[in-house]
Structure formats: structure tokens, C-alpha cells
Amino acid sequence: MNDLASRPLRLGILGAANIARAFTAGVAPSKVVTVAAVASRDTGKAEAFARECDIPRSVGSYEALLADPEIDAIYNPLPNSLHAEWSIRALEAGKHVLCEKPLAMNVGEVRAMFAAATKAGRHLVEAYPYRAQPQTLKLRELLAEGAIGKVRLIRSSFGVAFSDPANIRLIPDVGGGSLLDAGSYSVSLALLAAGERPARAHAMAAWGETGVDLSVAATLVFPSGALAQISSSFATAFHRHALIAGDAGWIETTYLNHPPMGGPPVLSIRRGTTLGIPVETIEVAGGNGFLAEAESFRDMILEGPSRWTGATPEQSVDIALTLDAIARSARSGATVDLAA
Ligand SMILES: NC(=O)c1ccc[n+]([C@@H]2O[C@H](COP(=O)([O-])OP(=O)(O)OC[C@H]3O[C@@H](n4cnc5c(N)ncnc54)[C@H](OP(=O)(O)O)[C@@H]3O)[C@@H](O)[C@H]2O)c1
């Protein structure tokens, strides 16, 4: 992989997943990252997917992809219940891993994944395309420079409608449920805005017929005293929105993966505490989040972790701890202290 500066990073995809179609199309214009192969449990499916998505090679098993010396890194868009197993197997096979969110089913799996990455000397990161967007980079810059003062209240929500019982999102055994899916976005944004891991979580859920949570609303309490309300749903019209209110102003963001699809790539900000202060609209560049994310992943492999715009390993552990606490609270009705 020493020659990565002079050739594209060769990605292999585990599973002919729906999201892998969009990922491959998004990454296609890149000069520094290429999708070189796709693996499916079914050879015919792998071949058809490769033809459809213009991927040069296909293989009929995940093991064959991991054994391929012409693959530098793996994109893992398997169902949530398989993220840990196959990311660890990929790391043990010497591949770097870009794994779809949520990184795993629980924080125990997440920690085992990072331990495997450290042992293998390879990078493992969680895919949140919005984190690579100029919109999010600008948001982080504004928060860091204190543009809205100390963050006190956060509200982040992501909802979308799913009703097909065959969709993995509605199947408990493969890690379905709105919290792990859309909720991982709301939680990741809230933790990014707070800049720390919550101390406590209290949550309520509405349960669907298949046994997964269809909607979740949770309150998070941060050590700084900041509070967040996060929500996720599989039973609403598409919406994705966050308000971050500080003691000296507020920011609203759509934190979209691929703006302007479904919304404008803008941040709204009021720099001040009173109603009379005009709200500014900051226009930011949009674009395909998969492309920006994949190129940041490649830059990290070549030049080190500072080139990765997404969640750090510590932040991914914090996201997983928070998701675990919300899930436990939603089931028990009790307020849950986050484990250390
Ligand atoms: N970042 C984003 O914007 C975004 C968006 C959507 C989804 N995602 C994430 O991406 C992952 C996949 O989502 P998706 O909607 O693309 O899923 P999907 O279309 O159902 O694809 C999942 C793939 O996993 C493989 N698989 C292996 N074992 C399976 C099993 N027991 N049941 C079902 N599939 C199995 C299948 O590939 P083969 O049959 O070819 O082996 C299948 O095509 C999830 O973790 C989700 O959270 C992320």
C-alpha cells in the first residue's frame, strides 16, 4: 500500500446492498478512490451488481473479497448485526475498513472492533457522510470559535418512512429499529454539538408490529449541564434537522448527507441573544457525501488520522455508549447512567 500516493485506493464492497449502489455512484468521479470489486453471498447477484454499477470485478463470497491482495480497504454496508463480525474479519485480513453506521449493535462490539484495528495496524471508521460535508465542517468551526457561546440546548431529529416488512430496518434479528438507523445520526450530531459524551439518558419509544422501535425520543444530559433532545423515526415524512442553542446565539442545520438533495446546503445562525438580531444564512458548498467521505478515508490512510473528517474512534465509542443507554432506557422506562 506504500504506492497509494501514485494510484487510487482500491475499495471492495461487502454485499450487494442498496446503499452500496448509491455509494458506488457517489465515489465514481473520484481520481483517488475506486470501487474495484463487490462481493455477494450469491455469485450471480455479485455479477449483476458489478455490471449494473460498473465495478470491474465481482466475487461470490465475502471471504474471497477479504483474501484479494488487489483490495486495499473494505466498505461494509451489511446489516447492522454483521458489522462487527465482518469488519473484524476484514481488519484481520489486513484491510482498512469504512463501516456503515451504526458501527455495531452495542458498545462491546464497537470496542472489540477498535481493538482488532489496533492489533492489525489498520484504520476503522464509521460512515456518516454528513460529517464530510462543508456544512458540517463549517458548523464545527462556528462552534469552536464560540459563535453561539456555550452550547446549552440541542435538538436533533431524523425521520423517514419504511413499511416493507422485508426491509432489514424492520427486522429485529439483523439489528433493525429507528434508533440504530436514523437515531445514530441524531445522536452523532448531538454529541458533535455538545463536544462531549452524555452522562445520562432518558428515552421513550413507540414499538412496531415486528418488534423494532418505530420512533424514539430521548433526553440526554451532558456533564457541562447542556441538554439534548434527540429523536428518530421510521413512521414520519422525511425530515432531518437540528437546532443548537448556546448562551450567545443559535445555529440550525439540516446535516444532510448529500445536499442539496432534499434540502438546501445552508446553516442559519443568530449571533446574539435577542429576537431583533437578524438571522444570517451561511451558504456552503454541497455535493455527494460519499465522495467526500471516501476521499477523506483515503487521505487518512495515506497521511494519518488528522485527515479524517468523520467521527474519531473515541467519538464512535461515545455514540455507541449513548445508543446503548437510550435503548436500555426506552425498554425499562428508567433514566440510565452511561457506562464509563
Ligand atoms: N450512510 C447512509 O447514508 C446509509 C444509508 C442507508 C443505509 N445505511 C447502512 O447501510 C447498511 C445496509 O443498508 P441497506 O439499506 O443498503 O441494506 P440492504 O439493501 O438490505 O443490503 C444489505 C446487504 O447485506 C447482505 N446480507 C448479508 N446477510 C444478510 C441478511 N441476513 N439479511 C439481509 N442482507 C444480508 C446482502 O448482500 P448479499 O446478498 O449480496 O450478500 C444485502 O444486499 C445498514 O447498516 C444501514 O444502516 C447507511
Side-chain angles (χ1 to χ4, degrees):
M1 226 174 287
N2 296 338
D3 56 342
L4 205 53
S6 58
R7 63 161 176 84
L9 177 78
R10 299 162 303 188
L11 283 179
I13 298 181
L14 278 176
N18 278 324
I19 195 63
R21 275 192 182 81
F23 178 87
T24 305
V27 171
S30 180
K31 301 250 182 300
V32 295
V33 181
T34 187
V35 175
V38 61
S40 170
R41 296 163 299 173
D42 175 315
T43 309
K45 190 175 169 189
E47 286 170 1
F49 191 89
R51 255 194 319 276
E52 178 196 332
C53 299
D54 209 14
I55 299 172
R57 285 183 294 118
S58 62
V59 288
S61 78
Y62 300 162
E63 288 86 350
L65 186 72
L66 300 191
D68 186 338
E70 303 288 301
I71 295 297
D72 306 307
I74 294 296
Y75 171 59
N76 181 351
L78 294 172
N80 300 339
S81 60
L82 297 176
H83 285 183
E85 177 189 346
W86 285 98
S87 292
I88 290 172
R89 290 177 74 160
L91 291 160
E92 287 172 351
K95 313 299 185 194
H96 301 284
V97 178
L98 173 63
C99 181
E100 267 306 338
K101 40 54 62 175
L103 203 47
M105 298 290 290
N106 54 58
V107 74
E109 287 189 351
V110 167
R111 287 193 167 123
M113 292 161 84
F114 283 119
T118 302
K119 192 168 169 204
R122 294 292 181 269
H123 292 284
L124 161 72
V125 283
E126 184 173 18
Y128 286 107
Y130 84 90
R131 303 281 286 235
Q133 284 292 347
Q135 181 173 174
T136 312
L137 302 181
K138 184 68 187 173
L139 169 66
R140 285 169 57 183
E141 189 186 306
L142 289 165
L143 292 171
E145 71 191 28
I148 60 166
K150 285 202 172 80
V151 172
R152 299 292 196 207
L153 280 178
I154 302 155
R155 201 178 65 209
S156 59
S157 187
F158 180 16
V160 59
F162 290 110
S163 56
D164 177 1
N167 190 312
I168 55 168
R169 288 163 186 75
L170 299 180
I171 304 174
D173 286 353
V174 295
S178 80
L179 176 64
L180 283 181
D181 190 270
S184 64
Y185 274 102
S186 314
V187 164
S188 77
L189 190 283
L191 270 56
L192 180 153
E196 60 182 347
R197 169 204 296 178
R200 293 196 301 285
H202 190 93
M204 303 269 178
W207 303 95
E209 283 171 15
T210 63
V212 302
D213 63 83
L214 277 190
S215 299
V216 172
T219 300
L220 306 175
V221 183
F222 292 88
S224 63
L227 299 172
Q229 291 173 305
I230 72 94
S231 47
S232 62
S233 185
F234 284 164
T236 66
F238 181 94
H239 68 278
R240 184 145 150 165
H241 184 258
L243 168 74
I244 304 158
D247 59 9
W250 55 253
I251 300 174
E252 281 182 338
T253 171
T254 53
Y255 65 115
L256 290 167
N257 282 341
H258 316 291
M261 272 171 66
V266 296
L267 290 168
S268 302
I269 180 168
R270 171 173 280 147
R271 299 174 198 259
T273 54
T274 58
L275 206 55
I277 296 169
V279 175
E280 288 170 47
T281 299
I282 302 176
E283 285 192 32
V284 281
N288 190 284
F290 291 129
L291 177 62
E293 173 183 75
E295 293 194 341
S296 168
F297 179 60
R298 175 264 185 193
D299 292 348
M300 169 180 64
I301 293 168
L302 195 61
E303 296 169 29
S306 66
R307 299 302 307 274
W308 173 241
T309 51
T312 63
E314 295 73 24
Q315 289 167 344
S316 284
V317 168
D318 287 350
I319 291 167
L321 275 168
T322 308
L323 291 170
D324 280 5
I326 292 172
R328 277 170 51 210
S329 177
R331 277 193 298 269
S332 67
T335 299
V336 171
D337 287 332
L338 263 73

